[in-house]
């Protein structure tokens, strides 16, 4: 799933047997402003606060279609997930706060962008900010264990798979 058509075209070329969806995942269905730096940019986002916090603000605002993660699970009749990676440039918690954990992925990797930091490089990250974050607390409340932190990705595993 990617909101950038250029990326979807590449996915379709390299992975023609996959289902590749051109949409922005959000907390609702509808439309959102995309802060678009350029086609294929890894930092295109629908999060205004994040776009405005970046040093380089040379983006254009485009409209993009949005869908919730629960709607994707429902529409594609997903009953089982082993691994979910969410890297949505700042909207990770918004996407997950209403996630139906009845479909329980074993592993989640979630990008954690702490926009309170002056710089996003690994050496500036603070564990205390992770531990008080909404994302961390959401997973702890839903019986996941925080097991690793790789660059800006937090890794959570369903506790029942750790015994």
């Amino acid at each position: 799933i990617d909101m950038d058509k250029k990326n979807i075209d590449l996915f379709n070329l390299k992975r023609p047997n996959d289902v590749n969806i051109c949409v922005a995942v959000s907390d609702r269905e509808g439309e959102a402003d995309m802060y678009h730096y350029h086609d294929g940019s890894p930092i295109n986002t629908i999060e205004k606060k994040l776009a405005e916090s970046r040093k380089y603000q040379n983006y254009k605002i485009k409209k993009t279609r949005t869908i919730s993660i629960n709607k994707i699970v429902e529409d594609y009749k997903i009953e089982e997930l082993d691994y979910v990676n969410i890297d949505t440039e700042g909207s990770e918690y918004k996407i997950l706060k209403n996630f139906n954990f009845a479909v329980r992925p074993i592993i989640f990797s979630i990008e954690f962008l702490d926009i309170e930091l002056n710089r996003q490089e690994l050496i500036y990250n603070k564990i205390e900010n992770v531990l008080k974050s909404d994302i961390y607390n959401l997973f702890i409340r839903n019986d996941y264990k925080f097991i690793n932190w790789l660059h800006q990705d937090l890794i959570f595993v369903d506790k029942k798979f750790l015994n």
Side-chain angles (χ1 to χ4, degrees):
I1 300 168
D2 199 295
M3 65 182 173
D4 191 319
K5 173 115 173 50
K6 183 177 181 178
N7 289 339
I8 293 298
D9 291 343
L10 291 171
F11 295 154
N12 286 333
L13 181 67
K14 294 302 276 179
R15 299 186 65 134
N17 296 324
D18 287 359
V19 174
N20 300 306
I21 308 166
C22 189
V23 66
V25 182
S26 184
D27 57 340
R28 60 181 174 76
E29 285 187 77
E31 193 175 72
D33 288 337
M34 176 189 1
Y35 300 86
H36 185 265
Y37 293 85
H38 59 79
D39 289 346
S41 173
I43 63 170
N44 292 337
T45 183
I46 61 173
E47 289 302 314
K48 181 179 182 178
K49 187 175 177 183
L50 178 61
E52 291 175 346
S53 77
R54 290 184 167 141
K55 182 177 178 181
Y56 303 104
Q57 295 186 14
N58 57 339
Y59 52 77
K60 294 178 183 170
I61 298 176
K62 297 182 173 187
K63 293 292 184 189
T64 189
R65 187 172 64 98
T66 62
I67 191 169
S68 75
I69 192 169
N70 289 333
K71 182 75 170 146
I72 293 167
V73 168
E74 177 187 321
D75 286 357
Y76 289 89
K77 298 174 181 20
I78 298 169
E79 296 177 4
E80 185 177 315
L81 291 165
D82 292 331
Y83 172 71
V84 172
N85 175 51
I86 300 181
D87 179 344
T88 55
E89 297 305 307
S91 57
E92 291 81 7
Y93 179 71
K94 184 188 292 186
I95 290 168
L96 289 168
K97 69 182 177 184
N98 295 316
F99 179 64
N100 179 358
F101 280 92
V103 175
R104 288 189 67 80
I106 298 168
I107 302 171
F108 272 100
S109 61
I110 309 297
E111 183 179 45
F112 179 73
L113 294 176
D114 187 349
I115 63 172
E116 303 304 319
L117 299 175
N118 291 331
R119 299 176 75 178
Q120 291 295 323
E121 288 85 16
L122 177 63
I123 63 170
Y124 300 104
N125 287 332
K126 297 179 180 177
I127 189 67
E128 56 272 14
N129 291 1
V130 170
L131 297 177
K132 66 181 181 184
S133 72
D134 291 331
I135 289 174
Y136 174 86
N137 287 298
L138 173 73
F139 281 98
I140 297 307
R141 281 192 313 273
N142 284 284
D143 291 325
Y144 280 81
K145 183 171 175 94
F146 176 50
I147 64 157
N148 207 340
W149 186 7
L150 180 61
H151 300 286
Q152 291 176 311
D153 292 331
L154 307 179
I155 312 299
F156 296 91
V157 175
D158 186 336
K159 284 183 176 179
K160 70 181 177 184
F161 288 93
L162 293 173
N163 296 332

